[in-house]
């Protein structure tokens, strides 16, 4: 069940909008430039996505490729949602492919049911949660978040999910727990990228416990009112909107409460380029490129990158007294 909850980062004028009305209004708002940008992304796609009809998913898409009901039409800054087609066809998911348009076709048969998530470590009540249990035990909310990839592109995505703190409250972290460590499925049979040894699989990410408990930190199960597709991290993935996209680990099977700072896949792969915190910060460049601006998918030109990806008011206090250049 989709619950609308009002938070400071929710849009103030949120209203329930039927899908067709919503889409025609957005067509009107976004205009021809945005449409042709979407067409360009589709044109660059691999055979499967490429065979999909071009243009508006709602009128021409196939089942599984059309957006479902959504509540919001913009983020809280007034910027429009990214097209569903772009969200499901332009992906970073190295377990399948390092080519963004190559992920969706390779992931289409990925088995996401049955699926279980083990929550364990420094907790009073460890448990193995079935994905259906996660979907029904916790009210599923829509959260419209900006996703800012470290590669300097971004999207606005209407996620469906529930805040991680609800799950943490169930397992009751012990006083010694300081961090949370997450792991993606390891299954080289299904994930061709894991057959290449270029990375230290499985994908691992981590958060400090206070970051994990922050209300913005989401376990997402859907996008645009529909269950996640494999390319977006089905059946359940993390979303930490004030951090670079690589922190938002996909297809999670393990959540461990630990008393050390976990080493993520990217920290292990390139420690000088990727730190533990990975907070979006326009004034801390990546060693190989600036982070001062970004390309919003579906838009022409670039826009300025915002400190903490625009969530400064909500999260800056987590880092009081920390040097954001050292703790990058
Ligand atoms: N397991 C896993 N999770 C992952 C990745 C990945 O390669 N493997 N890529 C990350 C990166 S770099 C980004 S930008 C986001 C992209 O999410 P999206 O494809 O749903 O937009 O997923 C993140 N989560
Ligand atoms: Mo990314």
């Amino acid at each position: 069940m989709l619950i609308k909850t009002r938070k400071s980062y929710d849009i103030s004028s949120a209203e329930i909008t039927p899908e067709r009305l919503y889409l025609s209004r957005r067509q009107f708002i976004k205009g021809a430039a945005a449409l042709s940008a979407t067409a360009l992304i589709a044109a660059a796609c691999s055979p499967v996505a490429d065979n999909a009809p071009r243009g508006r998913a709602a009128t021409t898409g196939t089942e599984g490729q059309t957006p479902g009901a959504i509540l919001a039409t913009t983020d809280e800054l007034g910027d429009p949602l990214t097209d569903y087609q772009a969200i499901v066809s332009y992906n970073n998911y190295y377990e399948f492919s390092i080519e963004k348009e190559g992920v969706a076709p390779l992931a289409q048969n990925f088995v996401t049911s049955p699926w279980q998530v083990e929550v364990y470590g420094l907790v009073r009540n460890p448990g193995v949660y079935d994905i259906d249990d996660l979907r029904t035990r916790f009210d599923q909310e829509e959260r419209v978040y900006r996703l800012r990839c470290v590669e300097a592109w971004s999207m606005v995505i209407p996620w469906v999910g529930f805040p991680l703190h609800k799950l943490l409250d169930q397992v009751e972290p012990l006083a010694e727990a300081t961090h949370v460590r997450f792991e993606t499925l390891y299954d080289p049979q299904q994930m061709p990228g894991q057959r290449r040894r270029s990375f230290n699989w499985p994908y691992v990410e981590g958060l400090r416990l206070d970051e994990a408990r922050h209300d913005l930190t989401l376990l997402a199960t859907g996008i645009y009112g529909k269950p996640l597709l494999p390319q977006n991290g089905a059946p359940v993935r993390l979303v930490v909107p004030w951090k670079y996209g690589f922190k938002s680990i996909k297809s999670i099977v393990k959540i461990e409460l630990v008393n050390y700072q976990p080493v993520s896949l990217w920290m292990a792969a390139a420690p000088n380029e990727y730190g533990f915190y990975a907070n979006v910060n326009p004034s801390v460049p990546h060693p190989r490129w600036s982070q001062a601006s970004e390309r919003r998918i579906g838009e022409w030109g670039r826009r300025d990158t915002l400190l903490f990806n625009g969530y400064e008011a909500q999260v800056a206090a987590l880092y009081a007294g920390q040097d954001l250049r050292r703790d990058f």
Side-chain angles (χ1 to χ4, degrees):
M1 175 159 154
L2 199 60
I3 308 280
K4 182 64 183 171
T5 50
R6 213 165 269 277
K7 300 278 164 56
S8 60
Y9 40 84
D10 279 337
I11 56 165
S12 52
S13 61
E15 53 178 325
I16 296 175
T17 313
E19 179 186 335
R20 198 163 307 168
L21 179 65
Y22 150 75
L23 284 165
S24 55
R25 192 199 292 167
R26 279 184 66 231
Q27 244 157 347
F28 177 74
I29 293 169
K30 294 185 72 183
L35 275 177
S36 50
T38 308
L40 281 180
I41 290 164
C45 276
S46 54
V48 170
D50 204 30
N51 288 340
R54 299 290 161 75
R56 287 282 148 186
T59 50
T60 59
T62 53
E63 178 54 34
Q65 296 290 313
T66 54
I70 45 112
L71 303 171
T73 58
T74 69
D75 67 7
E76 82 285 12
L77 305 180
D79 289 310
L81 307 183
T82 300
D83 280 311
Y84 187 70
Q85 267 311 316
I87 297 171
V88 300
S89 61
Y90 187 84
N91 300 104
N92 273 336
Y93 202 164
Y94 278 24
E95 284 88 336
F96 291 100
S97 174
I98 58 170
E99 312 264 0
K100 291 179 177 55
E101 295 84 1
V103 172
L106 285 170
Q108 63 176 336
N109 295 320
F110 182 58
V111 178
T112 57
S113 171
W115 189 278
Q116 291 176 330
V117 181
E118 186 182 359
V119 191
Y120 63 109
L122 300 173
V123 296
R124 201 171 321 278
N125 304 314
V128 176
Y129 288 79
D130 194 86
I131 182 64
D132 298 324
D133 191 20
L134 292 179
R135 284 208 190 90
T136 51
R137 188 191 291 250
F138 306 106
D139 289 338
Q140 305 290 302
E141 308 171 20
E142 180 179 279
R143 299 279 189 101
V144 176
Y145 289 161
R146 293 170 289 286
L147 176 83
R148 171 50 159 88
C149 177
V150 74
E151 299 162 339
W153 54 265
S154 62
M155 298 186 184
V156 180
I157 302 180
W159 301 103
V160 177
F162 61 93
L164 175 62
H165 63 72
K166 290 192 178 177
L167 178 58
L168 293 175
D169 285 349
Q170 297 255 328
V171 299
E172 294 182 46
L174 300 176
E176 310 94 273
T178 57
H179 292 77
V180 188
R181 183 182 179 278
F182 304 85
E183 242 182 71
T184 295
L185 180 69
Y186 179 69
D187 186 353
Q189 294 253 23
Q190 289 203 80
M191 297 170 137
Q194 289 182 336
R195 287 177 229 149
R196 285 183 280 112
R197 302 279 163 79
S198 27
F199 291 97
N200 193 16
W201 306 111
Y203 200 99
V204 168
E205 261 305 338
L207 293 173
R208 223 168 52 193
L209 187 53
D210 59 343
E211 298 176 321
R213 280 188 157 133
H214 195 283
D215 190 58
L216 281 173
T217 303
L218 198 69
L219 279 178
T221 58
I223 289 177
Y224 269 98
K226 303 207 333 171
L228 287 177
L229 294 181
Q231 57 267 38
N232 294 109
V236 60
R237 58 95 57 89
L238 187 70
V239 184
V240 193
W242 71 95
K243 295 177 178 285
Y244 292 120
F246 66 81
K247 297 294 290 184
S248 294
I249 181 174
K250 295 177 171 180
S251 307
I252 295 169
V253 291
K254 288 182 182 174
I255 300 178
E256 184 183 8
L257 279 287
V258 297
N259 61 358
Y260 59 89
Q261 180 176 282
V263 177
S264 70
L265 174 136
W266 284 108
M267 289 165 73
N272 55 321
E273 300 193 358
Y274 305 105
F276 175 77
Y277 285 96
N279 291 318
V280 175
N281 192 333
S283 56
V284 177
H286 186 279
R288 291 183 281 127
W289 59 83
S290 165
Q291 295 291 20
S293 70
E294 67 199 57
R295 183 170 62 92
R296 176 69 48 87
I297 301 300
E299 284 182 4
W300 298 112
R302 298 182 73 84
R303 46 166 74 215
D304 289 344
T305 288
L306 305 174
L307 181 59
F308 296 116
N309 202 23
Y311 302 98
E312 182 180 2
Q314 288 84 25
V315 302
L318 292 171
Y319 310 102
Q322 266 178 268
D323 177 351
L324 297 177
R325 288 179 178 276
R326 193 198 56 195
D327 297 336
F328 65 98

